Amino acid sequence: AQRVTQPEKLLSVFKGAPVELKCNYSYSGSPELFWYVQYSRQRLQLLLRHISRESIKGFTADLNKGETSFHLKKPFAQEEDSAMYYCALRSKAAGNKLTFGGGTRVLVKP
Amino acid sequence: NAGVTQTPKFRILKIGQSMTLQCTQDMNHNYMYWYRQDPGMGLKLIYYSVGAGITDKGEVPNGYNVSRSTTEDFPLRLELAAPSQTSVYFCASSIWTDTGELFFGEGSRLTVL
């Protein structure tokens, strides 16, 4: 069975400091990993996907198959980054459904 | 485009009551999903549908039913509400090629007392 773990429920950082959200997964095949974000009073939305190898809003995430991780990083956090972040995994074996982690709340203090 | 629309946004039910959470999307998406979100537990898939007339169980289907008579609508039915069904429910949809991007509704907060 596939599983996504986000060990930190809350991350509190100061503006301008680096932030790293941890995501570990368990899956025996070739996974597709995603980060979703929910800003206050907004809908849950896709932030980035590993297959695109893109940087969105200054965030990057690298898939490390050896460590089965997909950590989300940003070198200089901004107050507008305060939100709830979810790591998600998709596999064709599971019918292309997304499995979400428990989420990490990020609070960026001024 | 309204995207994915869920109603109601809030509801309080008594144990044993029934209700339907409505979900409609105007993006002509084939795939639709119902998730529930419990504090600290992330989102868990209840049911999903790959097209009109086709539905399948997700991770936590017990106590729920769904139907998909049209591409646009995917209602979630709670037959006998229980306190364990107190949660925030999210409906989502995605396109046929399924890039992994789900489009979510605003959520429905349900409390069962």
Side-chain angles (χ1 to χ4, degrees):
Chain A
Q2 57 194 51
R3 187 180 182 92
V4 179
T5 302
Q6 294 179 248
E8 304 126 337
K9 290 196 185 321
L10 173 65
L11 274 180
S12 183
V13 300
F14 284 101
K15 177 182 173 181
V19 62
E20 181 179 28
L21 290 75
K22 291 187 169 44
C23 172
N24 291 94
Y25 65 91
S26 61
Y27 179 64
S28 56
S30 294
E32 295 178 71
L33 275 297
F34 307 84
W35 278 99
Y36 276 76
V37 62
Q38 188 173 27
Y39 301 104
S40 179
R41 298 189 186 87
Q42 293 188 29
R43 302 172 188 225
L44 192 60
Q45 59 188 283
L46 178 67
L47 179 63
L48 55 78
R49 66 197 86 184
H50 92 269
I51 200 168
S52 300
R53 296 181 177 275
E54 56 202 344
S55 173
I56 302 293
K57 298 184 179 182
F59 284 98
T60 59
D62 292 318
L63 178 61
N64 186 324
K65 291 187 178 181
E67 296 183 357
T68 60
S69 68
F70 187 55
H71 303 329
L72 183 68
K73 303 174 186 178
K74 184 168 183 176
F76 307 103
Q78 303 300 313
E79 290 182 67
E80 56 264 29
D81 296 326
S82 295
M84 194 74 180
Y85 292 80
Y86 292 95
C87 183
L89 178 153
R90 183 179 73 162
S91 73
K92 288 185 169 54
N96 279 334
K97 300 184 293 294
L98 281 182
T99 298
F100 287 85
T104 298
R105 181 169 296 283
V106 172
L107 176 62
V108 181
K109 297 177 285 187
Chain B
N1 271 0
V4 178
T5 303
Q6 290 180 235
T7 57
K9 288 188 169 45
F10 303 93
R11 183 74 186 267
I12 297 175
L13 282 181
K14 293 182 179 178
I15 294 172
Q17 285 187 319
S18 301
M19 77 159 296
T20 298
L21 296 175
Q22 302 291 345
C23 176
T24 187
Q25 52 92 9
D26 60 1
M27 297 175 283
N28 202 31
H29 286 175
N30 290 84
Y31 290 78
M32 295 188 75
Y33 313 82
W34 274 106
Y35 285 90
R36 60 177 286 172
Q37 181 186 44
D38 300 318
M41 302 298 291
L43 284 80
K44 293 193 182 298
L45 185 64
I46 306 171
Y47 270 95
Y48 69 102
S49 169
V50 300
I54 306 170
T55 63
D56 207 348
K57 296 177 181 179
E59 189 180 355
V60 290
N62 291 345
Y64 306 95
N65 278 301
V66 293
S67 60
R68 185 94 183 269
S69 57
T70 67
T71 299
E72 295 78 18
D73 300 307
F74 191 44
L76 178 71
R77 177 94 178 149
L78 285 73
E79 291 295 348
L80 292 170
S84 60
Q85 293 178 305
T86 294
S87 189
V88 180
Y89 292 83
F90 288 96
C91 180
S93 70
S94 65
I95 61 175
W96 167 251
T97 54
D98 200 9
T99 60
E101 181 169 10
L102 269 59
F103 294 83
F104 283 85
E106 293 179 300
S108 298
R109 184 177 295 276
L110 176 66
T111 302
V112 182
L113 301 174

